[in-house]
Amino acid sequence: MLIRYKKAFEKIAMGLLSFMPNEKDIKKLQQTIKLYENEENWQLFLWKADDDLVGLIGVLFNDDLVEIQHISVNPSHRHQGIGKNMLKSLKQIYEGKTFKPNEYTASFCENCDFEDMDG
Ligand SMILES: CC(C)(COP(=O)(O)OP(=O)(O)OC[C@H]1O[C@@H](n2cnc3c(N)ncnc32)[C@H](O)[C@@H]1OP(=O)(O)O)[C@@H](O)C(=O)NCCC(=O)NCCS
């Protein structure tokens, strides 16, 4: 289940974000989290499985365009379809919008046939 980020999830969200190849630097990580906390068009979600937060997906949206900026799953929970399920759930949340990956999420999104995926 995809749930919206809130401040209480900051530590776990930073841990998950740090698996992104472009978020290895702690200063960059802190800046990114601040953007998700403060900017209205930066939206962050976490994937809850049982009682654990094991995945993260973050988008930047402008008008009708939703750009997938970050996607990450806890290494112990990978290869179970969570990444793909997060993309599907996101499409339901932003129904009717146009989605596109950025350079850091393109390889996974394309592997999932994201463009053709139903919400
Ligand atoms: C990418 C990621 C979110 C996938 O999460 P997941 O829950 O394992 O994804 P799913 O189970 O839905 O799909 C798994 C499939 O995705 C593919 N995949 C994994 N990482 C990939 C990547 N970086 N690029 C393209 N495809 C990838 C594999 O083919 C994998 O297939 P397998 O299970 O048969 O090995 C996870 O590997 C991760 O957190 N990686 C580190 C963060 C990162 O690099 N994010 C950007 C990815 S472009």
Side-chain angles (χ1 to χ4, degrees), residues 17 19-23 28 31-33 35-37 39-45 56-62 65-72 87 90 99-106 109 114:
L17 256 182
F19 294 119
M20 288 292 304
N22 59 326
E23 297 287 349
K28 170 87 190 319
Q31 280 169 5
T32 300
I33 277 286
L35 287 165
Y36 280 121
E37 285 175 357
E39 299 296 319
E40 214 179 306
N41 58 345
W42 283 62
Q43 299 277 329
L44 191 59
F45 301 87
L56 166 149
I57 189 162
V59 304
L60 171 63
F61 72 87
N62 280 306
L65 191 66
V66 180
E67 186 178 308
I68 318 292
Q69 304 199 105
H70 298 101
I71 183 160
S72 138
L87 289 175
L90 194 76
F99 290 82
K100 69 162 193 171
N102 72 2
E103 62 179 297
Y104 304 106
T105 59
C109 290
F114 182 54

Side-chain angles (χ1 to χ4, degrees), residues 19-21 71-73 78-81 83-84 104 107-108 111:
F19 294 119
M20 288 292 304
I71 183 160
S72 138
V73 170
R78 287 184 192 165
H79 312 292
Q80 296 169 24
K84 194 167 187 172
Y104 304 106
S107 111
F108 180 70
N111 203 35

